Amino acid sequence: MDCCAPSNNTGAARTDCPSCGEKGKNIQLITLKSLLKASALEKIEPENSYGFCSNSVCSTVYFSMNHLQTFAESDLKVPVYQKNPSMNVPVCYCFDWTRDRLLQAAGTHQQPAKQIKVHVQAGRCGCELNNPQGACCLGNVNVFLGGLNKG
Ligand SMILES: [Zn+2]
């Protein structure tokens, strides 16, 4: 949305993160409503558009596209995969595959990526409610598993 609009217009929806300047991803309000703690939820302005910053070195998770609000990982009920390197952080939020669980499944016959894909295709996932990025985790799962295979 608004990808061609000049970004220096006051009041224009800006998809760049106000904290790090990287381009964020438009996020549905339902994801913020589902994952923000009450103290942060009380501050959202539903008429605003919000973005998600996936930059791992930036502390901002969500920002309003008028650049007046930012929310950090501590404002969310769950740890954020992109911001938190802990092994007990979910990569797949819907089916509870943490980095640790994926690591343990690697080298067994469990094939987590395949399992997750089956559930996704069956329409069982709720990424917009469970995953802070508001979208399917499969890309992250494959990148994580791919990194394991290389290392
Ligand atoms: Zn950022």
Side-chain angles (χ1 to χ4, degrees):
M1 54 174 287
D2 285 338
C3 63
C4 303
S7 61
N8 55 357
N9 274 3
T10 27
R14 298 178 58 179
T15 57
D16 57 312
C17 171
S19 305
C20 70
E22 283 209 6
K23 197 169 166 11
K25 198 177 138 295
N26 188 37
I27 195 105
Q28 292 182 70
L29 206 57
I30 192 71
T31 307
L32 275 76
K33 287 180 175 175
S34 174
L35 295 177
L36 286 178
K37 290 177 183 167
S39 57
L41 187 60
E42 285 169 357
K43 295 176 198 150
I44 68 165
E45 305 286 351
E47 66 273 22
N48 285 342
S49 293
Y50 286 86
F52 171 78
C53 174
S54 63
N55 183 356
S56 62
V57 297
C58 175
S59 61
T60 293
V61 177
Y62 298 129
F63 57 89
S64 62
M65 289 190 181
N66 61 11
H67 277 193
L68 294 176
Q69 288 184 309
T70 59
F71 297 103
E73 189 187 25
S74 58
D75 292 317
L76 277 79
K77 298 171 190 167
V78 296
V80 180
Y81 170 73
Q82 285 84 349
K83 311 287 182 182
N84 189 329
S86 297
M87 289 306 285
N88 59 357
V89 171
V91 185
C92 169
Y93 285 78
C94 297
F95 305 108
D96 200 24
W97 284 95
T98 60
R99 284 192 179 95
D100 199 35
R101 195 176 161 213
L102 283 174
L103 194 64
Q104 285 174 26
T108 70
H109 295 291
Q110 290 191 56
Q111 296 183 288
K114 209 170 172 181
Q115 281 190 42
I116 295 166
K117 205 171 170 185
V118 167
H119 292 314
V120 169
Q121 284 171 346
R124 297 184 183 117
C125 61
C127 310
E128 70 278 20
L129 297 175
N130 297 320
N131 191 329
Q133 73 181 12
C136 184
C137 67
L138 265 179
N140 297 339
V141 170
N142 285 324
V143 167
F144 182 76
L145 292 172
L148 292 181
N149 291 340
K150 272 177 226 148

